Amino acid sequence: MLVKNRLLIPGPSQVPPEVNAAMARPIIGHRSGDFAKFHEELAKKLKQIFQTENEVVILTGSGTAAMEASVSSVVNPGDEVLCIVTGKFGERFAELAKVYGANVTVVEAKWGETYDLDTVTKLIQEKKFKLVCATHNETSTGVTNNIPALGDLCRKYDALLLVDAVSSMGGMDIKTDEWNVDLMVSGSQKAFMLPPGLSFVSISPKALEVINNNDSTNYYLSLKKAKKSQDKWSTPYTPNVSLFYALDEACNMILKEGLDTVFMRHKLLAEACQEAVKALGLNLLAKEEISSYTVTAFTGNVDTEAVRSLLKKKFGFAVAGGQDSLKGKIIRIGHMGYMDFADLFGVIAALELCLKEVGYPVELGKGVGAAMDVFYRGGRD
Ligand code: PMP
């Protein structure tokens, strides 16, 4: 029987045909005037999605490259850095800061929960941090952390704020400037609907001053070099020109749909997915009020790995499992980027059939019905 492959993991995500087609354009020289003109126009589009007046540099490298570029361009050995860790990707910031010799203070939340604002406030009041690192959307758990509250604290206590929005930018309403984020990082293969391979960092004037006066030991990942080149609409090294074309097309699609519509679509998809999960008697890992709009993680009294493997085999749906301590315990459905309601109804229907096959009690249609109800009513309430 025909089974189509459908990529619903929380990144890499589905790539629209228009974006794939854009990558087939002939390569041009990255030092040419034509590339500079194209780069300048592209940067304007990216700034709209980041909701920032700051420059957004584009790096050829995955999301972690932008995380490492940011940490290594700001941190000197012995600097005080606060890392807010709510899952796998928060841990990555702490690891990076340690690699570059920072004195790292970690505030940790249980996976599936968000950070405790009182604890963070106390720490920032007690100690002068050069840099605070946080994850906006923790892909490993499906939790969205409160970034505006951290922005207020960092403004008040004069610390730089570095935020990982790898799995949310382009799908969720992220107000980089209004939230006072100095370095906002994202990547190509999630809500931006691109293949993996590009990452982005917006740099505030305050961050740029620190970066330009730093004795960083980085080279390829130097934000100082990246920003200096970008001032001439160039890049320090050869960029992935094809992915730049793809990014341009993806930005056009996002801006044509309209940012508000894109954000609303992601919110509705998330609500529909959450309601479906609940209707099937499964448990959301994160509480609704901190749940991500781009990924839903859930667990239940069922062999999640058996369900995942059936979903792939019988219906072609690739969904993710858990990472580290959550390995084998949860299922994560990505609903980001090039994703519509038919995709969601499809994966929930397939999930119900796979649950039934492994012996989990399911009244067929209950989950899909709950998702349809959210779609029909235009929201959960
Ligand atoms: N941060 C978050 C929140 C992510 O979801 C990911 C990718 N899963 C990364 C960082 C790392 O990005 P990459 O794998 O592109 O290096």
Side-chain angles (χ1 to χ4, degrees):
M1 219 190 312
L2 171 72
V3 173
K4 295 186 189 175
N5 281 323
R6 297 174 168 92
L7 190 60
L8 261 63
I9 59 174
S13 65
Q14 304 179 76
V15 176
E18 296 91 322
V19 170
N20 274 325
M23 286 188 290
R25 286 183 212 152
I27 300 292
I28 58 171
H30 62 289
R31 304 282 177 228
S32 65
D34 283 349
F35 185 83
K37 234 182 282 161
F38 164 73
H39 190 181
E40 184 175 0
E41 290 309 310
L42 173 56
K44 282 184 202 155
K45 297 172 194 174
L46 208 46
K47 282 167 74 158
Q48 284 183 61
I49 296 169
F50 271 64
Q51 301 187 57
T52 183
E53 293 299 315
N54 300 331
E55 221 44 75
V56 184
V57 298
I58 307 170
L59 306 176
T60 291
S62 75
T64 308
M67 293 171 79
E68 180 158 357
S70 302
V71 171
S72 63
S73 296
V74 165
V75 166
N76 285 326
D79 284 344
E80 296 294 340
V81 174
L82 176 63
C83 292
I84 294 166
V85 176
T86 61
K88 174 99 186 153
F89 297 102
E91 279 177 358
R92 189 162 298 179
F93 266 145
E95 285 165 11
L96 278 166
K98 278 179 200 153
V99 163
Y100 286 95
N103 284 338
V104 181
T105 305
V106 172
V107 174
E108 226 169 331
K110 202 172 145 219
W111 285 35
E113 294 178 5
T114 189
Y115 69 90
D116 179 51
L117 184 57
D118 290 340
T119 308
V120 173
T121 306
K122 240 178 113 203
L123 276 166
I124 293 184
Q125 281 168 344
E126 280 166 8
K127 199 189 257 182
K128 172 94 184 84
F129 290 102
K130 181 180 193 182
L131 179 69
V132 175
C133 304
T135 317
H136 175 243
N137 192 66
E138 184 43 82
T139 323
S140 59
T141 63
V143 166
T144 297
N145 291 308
N146 178 348
I147 300 302
L150 297 176
D152 287 345
L153 278 174
C154 288
R155 183 187 287 124
K156 196 162 165 200
Y157 294 96
D158 196 28
L160 289 176
L161 178 57
L162 163 57
V163 172
D164 169 355
V166 168
S167 62
S168 47
M169 186 64 75
M172 290 175 71
D173 189 5
I174 298 176
K175 300 184 190 308
T176 301
D177 292 355
E178 203 177 304
W179 294 359
N180 194 42
V181 179
D182 295 291
L183 295 149
M184 181 70 90
V185 165
S186 194
S188 57
Q189 77 276 21
K190 313 262 179 178
F192 274 101
M193 317 185 285
L194 303 169
L198 289 185
S199 51
F200 323 114
V201 191
S202 73
I203 310 173
S204 74
K206 197 171 132 197
L208 190 61
E209 204 184 316
V210 172
I211 289 166
N212 283 338
N213 293 315
N214 226 25
D215 303 319
S216 301
T217 50
N218 54 18
Y219 191 91
Y220 189 73
L221 294 177
S222 164
L223 285 185
K224 195 191 292 188
K225 288 196 180 92
K227 176 65 175 63
K228 204 168 153 214
S229 292
Q230 181 137 329
D231 290 344
K232 297 173 277 165
W233 302 114
S234 186
T235 54
Y237 318 107
T238 312
N240 188 323
V241 175
S242 303
L243 281 177
F244 272 56
Y245 291 150
L247 175 62
D248 187 55
E249 187 57 40
C251 288
N252 288 344
M253 288 177 72
I254 290 170
L255 295 172
K256 187 166 172 225
E257 185 177 349
L259 284 181
D260 287 344
T261 312
V262 169
F263 300 152
M264 181 52 71
R265 172 167 54 86
H266 282 81
K267 181 170 186 280
L268 279 180
L269 284 168
E271 288 183 359
C273 192
Q274 289 162 23
E275 290 306 311
V277 163
K278 287 193 297 181
L280 292 170
L282 301 163
N283 309 312
L284 293 168
L285 184 67
K287 287 205 186 102
E288 260 162 47
E289 56 272 26
I290 56 166
S291 277
S292 160
Y293 292 164
T294 57
V295 52
T296 297
F298 58 92
T299 175
N301 191 17
V302 64
D303 180 348
T304 52
E305 287 304 286
V307 172
R308 252 176 16 93
S309 113
L310 271 179
L311 270 171
K312 182 75 182 69
K313 192 167 133 215
K314 292 205 128 174
F315 299 100
F317 279 111
V319 299
Q323 295 169 289
D324 296 351
S325 63
L326 291 176
K327 208 173 170 66
K329 295 187 182 147
I330 60 168
I331 292 177
R332 291 177 299 147
I333 297 179
H335 31 78
M336 56 178 74
Y338 194 56
M339 167 105 186
D340 64 8
F341 278 88
D343 286 332
L344 186 74
F345 297 151
V347 74
I348 300 296
L351 174 67
E352 292 186 21
L353 288 162
C354 295
L355 285 167
K356 205 171 177 65
E357 188 161 335
V358 298
Y360 181 88
V362 175
E363 191 187 313
L364 289 181
K366 219 166 168 202
V368 180
M372 286 165 73
D373 195 47
V374 172
F375 177 71
Y376 181 72
R377 292 191 295 126
R380 181 151 36 202
D381 317 300

